[in-house]
Amino acid sequence: MSTIFAHGGQLAHGVLLTMLMTVLGFGCALVAGVVLAVFHISPVPPLHRLAVGYVAVFRNIPLLVWLVLFVFGLPEIGLLYPLFGTVTAAMALYWAAFICEAVRSGIRTVPPGQIEAARALGFGFSQLLRHLVLPQAVRSMVQPLGTVFIALTLNTSLAAAVGVRELTGETQFFTITYDIPIPAFAVTTAIYVLITLAGGLLTGRLERKLAFKR
Amino acid sequence: MPSPRTPVPDSADVLVRLRGVHKSFGDHVVLRDVDLDVRSGEVVVLLGASGSGKSTLCRCVNRLETIDSGEITIEGRALPSEGRELARLRADVGMVFQSFNLFGHRSVLDNITLAPVKVRGVARREAADRARELLTRVGLAHKAQAYPGELSGGQQQRVAIARALAMNPKLILFDEPTSALDPEMINEVLDVMTELAADGMTMLVVTHEMGFARRAADRVVFLDQGRILETGTPGSFFDAPRTDRARDFLSKILSH
Ligand SMILES: Nc1ncnc2c1ncn2[C@@H]1O[C@H](COP(=O)(O)OP(=O)(O)OP(=O)(O)O)[C@@H](O)[C@H]1O
Ligand SMILES: [Mg+2]
């Protein structure tokens, strides 16, 4: 234990990277996922097909494979970006597919009759989304999005496999350098649990806040 | 008590005109060669057995369904096929559904003001004033801040009527507005509709409420398997139907 605290600064840096990757990754995935979901339900066939194809490709290939492809494949074709950015981007693109599905499941909870009523009143597609569909869908999207958030947080640890010294990467370093696998991973586990618990609390609060009388 | 209706003169402008309208879902033909005129201020009641195409006919008028052939015009103009033009047309044609379809996440007042504000660009203040006026008219002024889920079916349907009226529509389509209601709530909705009719609103109404048809309709149109089989005044249709199908239909309805 004392070894870990003696190198607290290193560990804190790992935590920081993990949190940064989580927040950036989730933020970008959220934006991309919502756009994908809108494409998915849009009346424009090419956009719909694009979204369907995207989800099929990204969701059905393991994240680790994507990370390897991005980190080692992109430089092969001459695209060289900083490691952290590359890994975060790969995560965002991967999780966007899951967020698209979470958003769509929320959209499906909006009664079709209400959508029809809005169309009959002269609402266009984007007005329909803005004023009717998304405000109602968001409430039932919070839980599935919370699940994606937790999965994303925990899976940032895969970044260690392609050389990012985030929390898990630092822990591996401790484990190898000082031969203290159990204490090192115990501390790491506690930190991951703290982050995901915070996420869980936040989704619970959000859900209560978004509740409306039915 | 609403004032008795003065009949719409034959010379009144035709607001909605259907000519040779055909519609099928797959190989199932739902509307066959339908010709129908609805004149300004007229109340037309659509009757017919389940599956005869009443809802489909209504939904074709504001293009919630597209037609396969034939022509539908409103004020002489063909229905726009899509986009902004179509949205504008729909804003001018009100619709009231069997299942009310109020926006669950918005208060009663917001339900009524949303379309005027977002679709028509009316100032929020002005829309709210008008909404309160309409709520008073349907007897629900005290429910402005309630949510749809807190209202009875009859109250929800009256809000839905107010929501349609808020757009100052040229015409309102009613698709079985009282069929989902408990018997004791049917009349509160029919009373509002009867008053609207007396005030000169143009209405195309699908309903099995024969009392309403007799009281408020200028004309009854009987659909059978997607074809208009009879059309006439409520009196002549109910008292002396000309076809066996209509007689059969009426005997089933009236025996309920
Ligand atoms: N979207 C659809 N897809 C396929 N078939 C449909 C669709 N909508 C309606 N139909 C069919 O078209 C026929 C006419 O339906 P419609 O709803 O217009 O009848 P209706 O006269 O309103 O009947 P009801 O009194 O039961 O409401 C029915 O046989 C119905 O099954
Ligand atoms: Mg019907």
PDB file of all heavy atoms in Angstrom, chain A residues 137-160:
ATOM      1  N   ALA A 137     -38.715  11.334 -25.108  1.00  0.00           N
ATOM      2  CA  ALA A 137     -37.877  10.145 -25.187  1.00  0.00           C
ATOM      3  C   ALA A 137     -36.754  10.195 -24.156  1.00  0.00           C
ATOM      4  O   ALA A 137     -36.330   9.177 -23.632  1.00  0.00           O
ATOM      5  CB  ALA A 137     -37.294  10.005 -26.590  1.00  0.00           C
ATOM      6  N   VAL A 138     -36.321  11.418 -23.832  1.00  0.00           N
ATOM      7  CA  VAL A 138     -35.141  11.585 -23.002  1.00  0.00           C
ATOM      8  C   VAL A 138     -35.313  10.901 -21.645  1.00  0.00           C
ATOM      9  O   VAL A 138     -34.386  10.318 -21.097  1.00  0.00           O
ATOM     10  CB  VAL A 138     -34.813  13.096 -22.862  1.00  0.00           C
ATOM     11  CG1 VAL A 138     -35.359  13.684 -21.614  1.00  0.00           C
ATOM     12  CG2 VAL A 138     -33.342  13.332 -22.993  1.00  0.00           C
ATOM     13  N   ARG A 139     -36.522  10.903 -21.171  1.00  0.00           N
ATOM     14  CA  ARG A 139     -36.795  10.345 -19.857  1.00  0.00           C
ATOM     15  C   ARG A 139     -36.513   8.841 -19.825  1.00  0.00           C
ATOM     16  O   ARG A 139     -35.901   8.339 -18.900  1.00  0.00           O
ATOM     17  CB  ARG A 139     -38.255  10.627 -19.511  1.00  0.00           C
ATOM     18  CG  ARG A 139     -38.620  10.268 -18.119  1.00  0.00           C
ATOM     19  CD  ARG A 139     -39.989  10.811 -17.819  1.00  0.00           C
ATOM     20  NE  ARG A 139     -40.528  10.159 -16.657  1.00  0.00           N
ATOM     21  CZ  ARG A 139     -41.216   9.049 -16.699  1.00  0.00           C
ATOM     22  NH1 ARG A 139     -41.444   8.489 -17.858  1.00  0.00           N
ATOM     23  NH2 ARG A 139     -41.670   8.498 -15.604  1.00  0.00           N
ATOM     24  N   SER A 140     -36.935   8.154 -20.863  1.00  0.00           N
ATOM     25  CA  SER A 140     -36.704   6.710 -20.871  1.00  0.00           C
ATOM     26  C   SER A 140     -35.333   6.360 -21.451  1.00  0.00           C
ATOM     27  O   SER A 140     -34.970   5.202 -21.522  1.00  0.00           O
ATOM     28  CB  SER A 140     -37.816   6.001 -21.632  1.00  0.00           C
ATOM     29  OG  SER A 140     -38.287   6.793 -22.675  1.00  0.00           O
ATOM     30  N   MET A 141     -34.587   7.394 -21.869  1.00  0.00           N
ATOM     31  CA  MET A 141     -33.246   7.144 -22.373  1.00  0.00           C
ATOM     32  C   MET A 141     -32.217   7.168 -21.256  1.00  0.00           C
ATOM     33  O   MET A 141     -31.118   6.638 -21.406  1.00  0.00           O
ATOM     34  CB  MET A 141     -32.862   8.212 -23.401  1.00  0.00           C
ATOM     35  CG  MET A 141     -33.274   7.867 -24.809  1.00  0.00           C
ATOM     36  SD  MET A 141     -33.332   9.258 -25.955  1.00  0.00           S
ATOM     37  CE  MET A 141     -32.389  10.530 -25.221  1.00  0.00           C
ATOM     38  N   VAL A 142     -32.569   7.792 -20.117  1.00  0.00           N
ATOM     39  CA  VAL A 142     -31.570   8.029 -19.075  1.00  0.00           C
ATOM     40  C   VAL A 142     -30.963   6.722 -18.569  1.00  0.00           C
ATOM     41  O   VAL A 142     -29.741   6.597 -18.493  1.00  0.00           O
ATOM     42  CB  VAL A 142     -32.186   8.834 -17.903  1.00  0.00           C
ATOM     43  CG1 VAL A 142     -31.215   8.913 -16.753  1.00  0.00           C
ATOM     44  CG2 VAL A 142     -32.545  10.231 -18.378  1.00  0.00           C
ATOM     45  N   GLN A 143     -31.792   5.732 -18.265  1.00  0.00           N
ATOM     46  CA  GLN A 143     -31.241   4.476 -17.740  1.00  0.00           C
ATOM     47  C   GLN A 143     -30.328   3.766 -18.746  1.00  0.00           C
ATOM     48  O   GLN A 143     -29.194   3.449 -18.401  1.00  0.00           O
ATOM     49  CB  GLN A 143     -32.360   3.538 -17.266  1.00  0.00           C
ATOM     50  CG  GLN A 143     -32.839   3.791 -15.845  1.00  0.00           C
ATOM     51  CD  GLN A 143     -31.717   3.877 -14.803  1.00  0.00           C
ATOM     52  OE1 GLN A 143     -30.651   3.296 -14.955  1.00  0.00           O
ATOM     53  NE2 GLN A 143     -31.959   4.642 -13.746  1.00  0.00           N
ATOM     54  N   PRO A 144     -30.796   3.516 -19.981  1.00  0.00           N
ATOM     55  CA  PRO A 144     -29.890   2.869 -20.945  1.00  0.00           C
ATOM     56  C   PRO A 144     -28.615   3.675 -21.190  1.00  0.00           C
ATOM     57  O   PRO A 144     -27.543   3.099 -21.349  1.00  0.00           O
ATOM     58  CB  PRO A 144     -30.724   2.738 -22.225  1.00  0.00           C
ATOM     59  CG  PRO A 144     -32.047   3.331 -21.942  1.00  0.00           C
ATOM     60  CD  PRO A 144     -32.159   3.626 -20.494  1.00  0.00           C
ATOM     61  N   LEU A 145     -28.731   5.010 -21.169  1.00  0.00           N
ATOM     62  CA  LEU A 145     -27.523   5.820 -21.357  1.00  0.00           C
ATOM     63  C   LEU A 145     -26.600   5.661 -20.160  1.00  0.00           C
ATOM     64  O   LEU A 145     -25.371   5.624 -20.307  1.00  0.00           O
ATOM     65  CB  LEU A 145     -27.887   7.296 -21.561  1.00  0.00           C
ATOM     66  CG  LEU A 145     -28.491   7.650 -22.918  1.00  0.00           C
ATOM     67  CD1 LEU A 145     -28.790   9.142 -22.995  1.00  0.00           C
ATOM     68  CD2 LEU A 145     -27.560   7.250 -24.048  1.00  0.00           C
ATOM     69  N   GLY A 146     -27.163   5.548 -18.962  1.00  0.00           N
ATOM     70  CA  GLY A 146     -26.366   5.310 -17.760  1.00  0.00           C
ATOM     71  C   GLY A 146     -25.607   4.000 -17.884  1.00  0.00           C
ATOM     72  O   GLY A 146     -24.429   3.904 -17.508  1.00  0.00           O
ATOM     73  N   THR A 147     -26.270   2.997 -18.435  1.00  0.00           N
ATOM     74  CA  THR A 147     -25.614   1.699 -18.634  1.00  0.00           C
ATOM     75  C   THR A 147     -24.444   1.834 -19.607  1.00  0.00           C
ATOM     76  O   THR A 147     -23.369   1.283 -19.380  1.00  0.00           O
ATOM     77  CB  THR A 147     -26.637   0.684 -19.180  1.00  0.00           C
ATOM     78  OG1 THR A 147     -27.763   0.688 -18.303  1.00  0.00           O
ATOM     79  CG2 THR A 147     -26.051  -0.702 -19.251  1.00  0.00           C
ATOM     80  N   VAL A 148     -24.669   2.577 -20.683  1.00  0.00           N
ATOM     81  CA  VAL A 148     -23.580   2.795 -21.641  1.00  0.00           C
ATOM     82  C   VAL A 148     -22.434   3.542 -20.964  1.00  0.00           C
ATOM     83  O   VAL A 148     -21.261   3.217 -21.159  1.00  0.00           O
ATOM     84  CB  VAL A 148     -24.074   3.576 -22.886  1.00  0.00           C
ATOM     85  CG1 VAL A 148     -22.900   3.946 -23.780  1.00  0.00           C
ATOM     86  CG2 VAL A 148     -25.087   2.759 -23.669  1.00  0.00           C
ATOM     87  N   PHE A 149     -22.801   4.514 -20.137  1.00  0.00           N
ATOM     88  CA  PHE A 149     -21.765   5.299 -19.442  1.00  0.00           C
ATOM     89  C   PHE A 149     -20.875   4.385 -18.593  1.00  0.00           C
ATOM     90  O   PHE A 149     -19.649   4.482 -18.616  1.00  0.00           O
ATOM     91  CB  PHE A 149     -22.411   6.372 -18.561  1.00  0.00           C
ATOM     92  CG  PHE A 149     -21.419   7.195 -17.786  1.00  0.00           C
ATOM     93  CD1 PHE A 149     -20.751   8.253 -18.390  1.00  0.00           C
ATOM     94  CD2 PHE A 149     -21.120   6.891 -16.462  1.00  0.00           C
ATOM     95  CE1 PHE A 149     -19.815   8.994 -17.692  1.00  0.00           C
ATOM     96  CE2 PHE A 149     -20.183   7.630 -15.760  1.00  0.00           C
ATOM     97  CZ  PHE A 149     -19.531   8.689 -16.371  1.00  0.00           C
ATOM     98  N   ILE A 150     -21.516   3.491 -17.845  1.00  0.00           N
ATOM     99  CA  ILE A 150     -20.741   2.585 -16.982  1.00  0.00           C
ATOM    100  C   ILE A 150     -19.859   1.667 -17.833  1.00  0.00           C
ATOM    101  O   ILE A 150     -18.665   1.490 -17.549  1.00  0.00           O
ATOM    102  CB  ILE A 150     -21.697   1.765 -16.081  1.00  0.00           C
ATOM    103  CG1 ILE A 150     -22.299   2.696 -15.039  1.00  0.00           C
ATOM    104  CG2 ILE A 150     -20.957   0.610 -15.411  1.00  0.00           C
ATOM    105  CD1 ILE A 150     -23.399   2.079 -14.216  1.00  0.00           C
ATOM    106  N   ALA A 151     -20.446   1.127 -18.906  1.00  0.00           N
ATOM    107  CA  ALA A 151     -19.672   0.236 -19.773  1.00  0.00           C
ATOM    108  C   ALA A 151     -18.477   0.980 -20.371  1.00  0.00           C
ATOM    109  O   ALA A 151     -17.367   0.457 -20.437  1.00  0.00           O
ATOM    110  CB  ALA A 151     -20.562  -0.318 -20.881  1.00  0.00           C
ATOM    111  N   LEU A 152     -18.743   2.223 -20.790  1.00  0.00           N
ATOM    112  CA  LEU A 152     -17.659   3.018 -21.379  1.00  0.00           C
ATOM    113  C   LEU A 152     -16.570   3.280 -20.348  1.00  0.00           C
ATOM    114  O   LEU A 152     -15.378   3.106 -20.628  1.00  0.00           O
ATOM    115  CB  LEU A 152     -18.236   4.333 -21.908  1.00  0.00           C
ATOM    116  CG  LEU A 152     -17.281   5.313 -22.620  1.00  0.00           C
ATOM    117  CD1 LEU A 152     -18.012   6.033 -23.734  1.00  0.00           C
ATOM    118  CD2 LEU A 152     -16.682   6.328 -21.665  1.00  0.00           C
ATOM    119  N   THR A 153     -16.966   3.660 -19.152  1.00  0.00           N
ATOM    120  CA  THR A 153     -15.980   3.930 -18.096  1.00  0.00           C
ATOM    121  C   THR A 153     -15.094   2.719 -17.869  1.00  0.00           C
ATOM    122  O   THR A 153     -13.860   2.819 -17.877  1.00  0.00           O
ATOM    123  CB  THR A 153     -16.709   4.258 -16.768  1.00  0.00           C
ATOM    124  OG1 THR A 153     -17.627   5.312 -16.998  1.00  0.00           O
ATOM    125  CG2 THR A 153     -15.709   4.673 -15.698  1.00  0.00           C
ATOM    126  N   LEU A 154     -15.727   1.564 -17.672  1.00  0.00           N
ATOM    127  CA  LEU A 154     -14.946   0.368 -17.366  1.00  0.00           C
ATOM    128  C   LEU A 154     -14.070  -0.039 -18.545  1.00  0.00           C
ATOM    129  O   LEU A 154     -12.943  -0.495 -18.364  1.00  0.00           O
ATOM    130  CB  LEU A 154     -15.884  -0.773 -16.956  1.00  0.00           C
ATOM    131  CG  LEU A 154     -16.695  -0.478 -15.683  1.00  0.00           C
ATOM    132  CD1 LEU A 154     -17.579  -1.662 -15.326  1.00  0.00           C
ATOM    133  CD2 LEU A 154     -15.765  -0.129 -14.509  1.00  0.00           C
ATOM    134  N   ASN A 155     -14.574   0.171 -19.741  1.00  0.00           N
ATOM    135  CA  ASN A 155     -13.820  -0.259 -20.912  1.00  0.00           C
ATOM    136  C   ASN A 155     -12.721   0.713 -21.330  1.00  0.00           C
ATOM    137  O   ASN A 155     -11.954   0.410 -22.239  1.00  0.00           O
ATOM    138  CB  ASN A 155     -14.756  -0.537 -22.081  1.00  0.00           C
ATOM    139  CG  ASN A 155     -15.406  -1.899 -21.943  1.00  0.00           C
ATOM    140  OD1 ASN A 155     -14.755  -2.920 -22.098  1.00  0.00           O
ATOM    141  ND2 ASN A 155     -16.676  -1.917 -21.585  1.00  0.00           N
ATOM    142  N   THR A 156     -12.656   1.874 -20.663  1.00  0.00           N
ATOM    143  CA  THR A 156     -11.489   2.723 -20.942  1.00  0.00           C
ATOM    144  C   THR A 156     -10.221   1.973 -20.550  1.00  0.00           C
ATOM    145  O   THR A 156      -9.145   2.280 -21.034  1.00  0.00           O
ATOM    146  CB  THR A 156     -11.535   4.056 -20.144  1.00  0.00           C
ATOM    147  OG1 THR A 156     -11.697   3.756 -18.763  1.00  0.00           O
ATOM    148  CG2 THR A 156     -12.643   4.959 -20.633  1.00  0.00           C
ATOM    149  N   SER A 157     -10.388   0.962 -19.691  1.00  0.00           N
ATOM    150  CA  SER A 157      -9.212   0.196 -19.258  1.00  0.00           C
ATOM    151  C   SER A 157      -8.548  -0.545 -20.419  1.00  0.00           C
ATOM    152  O   SER A 157      -7.355  -0.876 -20.353  1.00  0.00           O
ATOM    153  CB  SER A 157      -9.596  -0.800 -18.161  1.00  0.00           C
ATOM    154  OG  SER A 157     -10.574  -1.686 -18.658  1.00  0.00           O
ATOM    155  N   LEU A 158      -9.317  -0.786 -21.475  1.00  0.00           N
ATOM    156  CA  LEU A 158      -8.726  -1.450 -22.648  1.00  0.00           C
ATOM    157  C   LEU A 158      -7.632  -0.589 -23.280  1.00  0.00           C
ATOM    158  O   LEU A 158      -6.768  -1.089 -24.003  1.00  0.00           O
ATOM    159  CB  LEU A 158      -9.800  -1.762 -23.693  1.00  0.00           C
ATOM    160  CG  LEU A 158     -10.721  -2.943 -23.388  1.00  0.00           C
ATOM    161  CD1 LEU A 158     -11.781  -3.056 -24.473  1.00  0.00           C
ATOM    162  CD2 LEU A 158      -9.914  -4.229 -23.281  1.00  0.00           C
ATOM    163  N   ALA A 159      -7.694   0.720 -23.015  1.00  0.00           N
ATOM    164  CA  ALA A 159      -6.692   1.622 -23.585  1.00  0.00           C
ATOM    165  C   ALA A 159      -5.291   1.218 -23.124  1.00  0.00           C
ATOM    166  O   ALA A 159      -4.302   1.441 -23.829  1.00  0.00           O
ATOM    167  CB  ALA A 159      -6.994   3.065 -23.193  1.00  0.00           C
ATOM    168  N   ALA A 160      -5.212   0.602 -21.936  1.00  0.00           N
ATOM    169  CA  ALA A 160      -3.913   0.152 -21.420  1.00  0.00           C
ATOM    170  C   ALA A 160      -3.261  -0.829 -22.386  1.00  0.00           C
ATOM    171  O   ALA A 160      -2.038  -0.853 -22.547  1.00  0.00           O
ATOM    172  CB  ALA A 160      -4.099  -0.492 -20.052  1.00  0.00           C
TER     173      ALA A 160
END
